[in-house]
Amino acid sequence: MSHYKAPLETMNFVLFDVLNAGQLSSLPAFEDATEDMFKAVMDEAAKLAERVMLPVNASGDREGCQYFPDDYSVKTPTGFKEAYQQYREGGWSGLSASPDFGGQGLPHLLKMIVDEMVCSTNLSLGMYPGLSHGAIDCLTQHGSEYLQSTYLPKLVAGEWTGTMCLTEPQCGTDLGLMSTKAEPDANGETYKISGTKIWITGGEHDLADNIVHLVLAKLPGAPNSSKGISLFLVPKFLPDGSRNPAFCGGLEHKMGIKGSATCVMNFEEATGWLIGEPNQGLKCMFTMMNAARIMVGIQGLGLGETAYQVSLGFAKERLQSRSLAGPAKPELKADPIIVHPDVRRMLLKQKAIIEGARAMAYWTGMHLDMSHAHPDETQRERSDDIAQIMTPIVKSFLTDEGFSSCDQALQSMGGSGFTQDWPVEQLMRDGRIARIYEGTNGIQALDLVGRKLSMKGGQLARTYFAEMQAILSGLNDPQHLESCQSFLQTLQKALGWLASNATKDPEQAGAVASPLLRMFALTTLAVMWAKMADVSRTEAVKNNYSEAFLSGKQKTAAHFYRLYQPEMQALLEDITAGKNTLMSFAEAEF
């Protein structure tokens, strides 16, 4: 049993009452993306998630993928192929892709919302088309006319899928250590790609007719560092229909996402085409990686939402003991466990974080769309600043807290949560990887501190604070405003300490990166909760939602500040303590 129902009411509240996502339809690129269009697509996506993706989730986890070494093939779990076919036929693969290649040209934000529902119901299956979106973005921005015309229509239609091939046995984050080679062919147009890549999601499967690998490799004479990496398109089947020697050498045996084929890929002088300029592969790949990082954050959000729904439903039905205040349901043999303060502590932590994180993610998605499509150059740059600085925050915080939501759900359900009779144990196993892949959350924190905060002379951070203050400027609740200003001031103190210490000693920046990223996330959620609580009091909104729905927003906002305002002070103390107790140990002292 799953108890998942797409949270359309909460999604609509965040999108149209809090963030005013309808404004996207005023942009020339998104004229069709009206509120009615959004809601119609979301309604259909809910049906897809609940009726197509969800029914094969648990069975897919237990069956897993099968590898056949005789022909290097992979069979996905029973029902996955049919479910993917419905996904493809529904046009979901091309939702945000360019109409020039058969896509629908709708906002990336809308795709994020669909991704959330898919990840809530079947993360393993959702990962196959998930990386295709990144490949589409990469080819759209960096591919030659030949590669675009040959591969994009099929990828956009979902007839083919894409992969991202970075990691090798000897190198993960440090891509400069990679050994995969690309030798120019005599024809001057293609290259022979040789090497082994590991942990390749969807590297081989039976869902689509072709698989398009985007592979990082080094050209002869390239610099022996990350500055010497190029990007190549290497298809499973070549344009003439012949088999390219890009073979799956086996499947990884994983803790979770067992229905997703995570492959070892061997490229044996496989034919490939250069994407972009020589030695500029990371620049091209970051187009794909940034999209993938935001999607991974959405994975955490989706799993956390499902875990909350499961544990909430359980808490309302499970009878155990009596309320400490006296029987709440005297007609029953015992009270439902939702009456107990400790169960509420876990449920309300889930609710405060998941709903706040959704607002943060959707806000980031709106700015991502405006960074590409807004007609005003100044607004495009401001939105790009927000999308850039928020990408590592969305990826890290949502995956950390999505996993925490699963953990809280399991704990509140007691022994039932630990069994396969309920889906939470699978959600925990599936969600744990999200904190690791597409750059571990520690790497995301280093990206924030080491790259994003210094970009454009610190402009990204200045834009962030200006946007936070702009959101607060129209709010009325003095208590929430005071709380938000406290969050913002505490974050600024942490940044001041970083500016004074990190330039003198880079290890100081590394030591405080993770707590600083969390401070950014909590500060953003504080502002989002102030906005949600304020909007829930307006007369126009009161006509659209129940009194319980709106009062729940106001009470959750107050609970959020109770929980996390003290944590901000603790994080600041952690940061200002610096590296001393971390880096003073000799190896022998561990």
Side-chain angles (χ1 to χ4, degrees):
M1 57 188 76
S2 177
H3 303 295
Y4 175 81
K5 193 76 175 173
L8 294 175
E9 186 175 40
T10 295
M11 290 174 166
N12 287 331
F13 174 75
V14 170
L15 284 169
F16 305 113
D17 298 297
V18 176
L19 299 178
N20 188 26
Q23 65 183 290
L24 290 176
S25 64
S26 67
L27 305 181
F30 302 133
E31 291 178 350
D32 294 334
T34 62
E35 181 175 338
D36 287 342
M37 165 68 86
F38 259 79
K39 290 180 176 179
V41 172
M42 290 162 61
D43 286 344
E44 291 304 310
K47 295 174 185 175
L48 172 78
E50 295 166 12
R51 301 176 186 178
V52 178
M53 297 291 184
L54 183 59
V56 295
N57 186 39
S59 59
D61 173 64
R62 292 168 192 176
E63 180 181 340
C65 295
Q66 300 176 61
Y67 174 64
F68 298 92
D70 290 346
D71 62 355
Y72 314 107
S73 66
V74 171
K75 181 181 181 296
T76 55
T78 302
F80 270 41
K81 194 169 186 178
E82 293 76 12
Y84 177 77
Q85 184 75 2
Q86 291 190 55
Y87 179 95
R88 185 186 69 76
E89 290 175 350
W92 300 105
S93 296
L95 195 68
S96 61
S98 170
D100 293 342
F101 305 104
Q104 299 174 51
L106 292 169
H108 183 82
L109 172 60
L110 186 53
K111 190 186 84 68
M112 286 173 60
I113 297 162
V114 175
D115 286 342
E116 180 192 333
M117 297 186 215
V118 169
C119 293
S120 284
T121 49
N122 198 323
L123 176 57
S124 288
L125 181 52
M127 290 175 69
Y128 291 98
L131 281 176
S132 297
H133 297 305
I136 290 167
D137 290 344
C138 184
L139 284 175
T140 300
Q141 293 189 39
H142 304 291
S144 66
E145 184 177 339
Y146 167 74
L147 293 180
Q148 290 179 348
S149 62
T150 304
Y151 293 96
L152 278 176
K154 295 289 189 179
L155 286 168
V156 168
E159 295 177 33
W160 298 351
T161 62
T163 75
M164 181 166 57
C165 300
L166 291 79
T167 306
E168 299 181 8
Q170 78 288 350
C171 75
T173 301
D174 189 355
L175 293 171
L177 298 176
M178 72 169 49
S179 60
T180 299
K181 301 295 184 184
E183 297 286 344
D185 276 330
N187 60 23
E189 297 178 357
T190 57
Y191 298 80
K192 294 299 182 188
I193 312 298
S194 300
T196 296
K197 300 287 185 177
I198 61 172
W199 303 336
I200 308 306
T201 298
E204 179 62 44
H205 57 77
D206 58 357
L207 303 182
D209 297 333
N210 201 359
I211 301 172
V212 181
H213 305 288
L214 269 58
V215 184
L216 291 180
K218 291 184 176 179
L219 290 164
N224 191 26
S225 69
S226 60
K227 296 180 180 179
I229 296 174
S230 300
L231 180 64
F232 300 87
L233 185 150
V234 183
K236 176 180 176 179
F237 291 102
L238 294 167
D240 64 4
S242 61
R243 183 69 160 89
N244 208 7
F247 300 117
C248 175
L251 294 176
E252 307 288 357
H253 303 286
K254 310 186 297 290
M255 173 181 176
I257 54 170
K258 294 178 181 291
S260 172
T262 307
C263 303
V264 176
M265 293 300 301
N266 297 316
F267 298 92
E268 303 169 1
E269 295 193 344
T271 298
W273 285 262
L274 181 68
I275 298 174
E277 297 297 320
N279 303 331
Q280 297 295 310
L282 279 186
K283 178 182 177 182
C284 299
M285 185 62 90
F286 263 111
T287 301
M288 192 173 186
M289 288 171 68
N290 284 334
R293 285 171 175 174
I294 290 177
M295 183 189 174
V296 171
I298 297 301
Q299 292 175 7
L301 175 63
L303 295 176
E305 170 67 33
T306 302
Y308 173 62
Q309 289 192 29
V310 172
S311 54
L312 177 61
F314 184 90
K316 290 179 177 180
E317 297 176 1
R318 172 69 168 174
L319 302 180
Q320 197 83 97
S321 304
R322 286 297 185 186
S323 166
L324 296 175
K329 301 275 188 179
E331 72 278 12
L332 302 177
K333 294 181 178 179
D335 289 328
I337 63 172
I338 197 170
V339 305
H340 301 308
D342 197 57
V343 173
R344 290 186 171 218
R345 177 183 59 83
M346 292 181 273
L347 289 171
L348 287 173
K349 183 177 180 181
Q350 291 174 270
K351 179 178 174 63
I353 289 292
I354 293 300
E355 293 186 10
R358 177 177 290 113
M360 177 174 74
Y362 290 5
W363 175 70
T364 302
M366 275 188 60
H367 277 290
L368 184 62
D369 282 320
M370 289 193 291
S371 73
H372 294 298
H374 203 283
D376 180 69
E377 183 179 355
T378 301
Q379 182 59 56
R380 285 201 306 274
E381 184 175 16
R382 287 178 64 84
S383 290
D384 185 65
D385 288 350
I386 295 299
Q388 290 277 0
I389 198 171
M390 292 303 299
T391 292
I393 297 168
V394 167
K395 192 278 181 185
S396 295
F397 187 78
L398 268 64
T399 56
D400 280 344
E401 293 301 327
F403 180 78
S404 178
S405 176
C406 296
D407 186 45
Q408 295 286 330
L410 192 152
Q411 185 70 21
S412 68
M413 294 172 68
S416 296
F418 199 66
T419 70
Q420 290 187 348
D421 295 332
W422 297 84
V424 176
E425 63 85 27
Q426 181 190 342
L427 297 175
M428 279 198 74
R429 288 187 290 102
D430 285 353
R432 186 59 184 84
I433 185 60
R435 302 170 72 189
I436 298 172
Y437 58 20
E438 302 308 333
T440 66
N441 288 356
I443 294 296
Q444 302 302 319
L446 290 174
D447 176 53
L448 173 67
V449 170
R451 292 183 63 246
K452 302 301 174 61
L453 292 181
S454 60
M455 284 173 64
K456 303 180 183 178
Q459 178 177 305
L460 273 61
R462 291 192 296 273
T463 302
Y464 170 85
F465 282 105
E467 288 292 316
M468 293 292 100
Q469 295 292 0
I471 293 171
L472 294 175
S473 66
L475 307 188
N476 299 311
D477 189 306
Q479 187 172 355
H480 289 168
L481 288 171
E482 182 180 348
S483 294
C484 288
Q485 293 302 341
S486 173
F487 275 80
L488 288 162
Q489 290 164 12
T490 305
L491 176 57
Q492 287 172 325
K493 288 178 183 177
L495 290 173
W497 184 93
L498 182 71
S500 299
N501 291 272
T503 54
K504 304 170 189 174
D505 184 352
E507 283 188 340
Q508 295 282 22
V512 306
S514 289
L516 185 64
L517 182 146
R518 184 167 178 83
M519 289 184 81
F520 265 102
L522 292 176
T523 300
T524 311
L525 263 66
V527 173
M528 293 296 157
W529 269 117
K531 176 74 170 177
M532 286 191 283
D534 195 78
V535 167
S536 70
R537 296 187 181 93
T538 62
E539 290 301 321
V541 169
K542 287 180 180 178
N543 296 327
N544 298 326
Y545 303 94
S546 70
E547 182 177 343
F549 178 90
L550 297 174
S551 62
K553 300 303 178 194
Q554 296 159 28
K555 291 179 179 179
T556 308
H559 191 66
F560 175 87
Y561 298 125
R562 169 188 162 175
L563 289 177
Y564 295 106
Q565 205 162 337
E567 184 181 338
M568 286 291 286
Q569 295 301 320
L571 289 168
L572 179 61
E573 290 184 20
D574 186 12
I575 287 171
T576 55
K579 73 172 191 176
N580 293 337
T581 61
L582 293 175
M583 305 308 294
S584 63
F585 282 73
E587 277 192 33
E589 293 173 318
F590 276 89

